Amino acid sequence: MRIINIAVDGYSSSGKSTLAKSLALKLGYKYIDTGAMYRAVTLFSIQNNLIENDYVKVNSLINTLENINIEVYFKSNLSEIILNGKNITKDIRSMEVSNHVSNISKIKEVRYKLVKQQQLLSKDKGFVIDGRDIGSVVLPDAELKFFIDASLNERIRRRFNELKRKDEKTTFIKVEQNIKKRDITDEYRENSPLIRTTDSIYIDNTNLSKSDQLELALKFYKMIV
Ligand code: DC
């Protein structure tokens, strides 16, 4: 069977990383979570006072970009994120990071740096990569592309339950506001917005179980390898 690259794009909390991870594990491919890389830059910005209230000090961040070293380390084919030598895989999931990550990810220079790194990481085949611009910008030539969607309510519910499981103090309303804001920023930003490319396979998983979704995706995979 030929080895390919698989791009998985979609809205926040649509279940794209669940699909991407399970595809990677099933196929023995490596999984890259590009959202985690934008979250790492966001965590760095918070820790280094580059965000004040809701305002990102864009020029200062651009000037310090070269000091931000992000490494993707594969552990059982899933990715762990190292920021300047420290494993921050868990720290980047907080509401604080989620609240600022859209503003960080719309900065052209940040995107340029991370997209270059993502392309380098996946230059050999055998990767499942998820994000917002994978099929459109990072891997426009990926052999298989999915666009994952679910209803807004379902996405809020999933994210809220995920945070509750982690004991994060939040409310349904706060999660709703965060997801709606991120949807708008992701879709309408100037630099590589979230788009559904014409060559991607659209999956709405509102009423699909995780295993149904994986099975469906595998059917498409088998059609092309
Ligand atoms: O997938 P996620 O929710 O962890 O992504 C966090 C943010 O990063 C999301 O709001 C949009 C941004 N992002 C992006 O702009 N491009 C990507 N390829 C991945 C994520």
Side-chain angles (χ1 to χ4, degrees), residues 43 47 69 71 81-89 91:
L43 183 66
Q47 290 171 339
N69 182 39
E71 288 163 82
I81 301 289
I82 316 292
L83 170 65
N84 292 339
K86 185 168 179 257
N87 190 328
I88 45 117
T89 309
D91 307 327

Side-chain angles (χ1 to χ4, degrees), residues 16 34-35 38-39 102 105 111 132-133 182 186 189:
K16 60 186 180 325
T34 61
Y38 290 95
R39 285 172 180 270
S102 287
S105 61
R111 301 203 71 82
R132 304 293 189 290
D133 58 344
R182 285 208 282 153
D186 291 350
R189 69 175 173 229

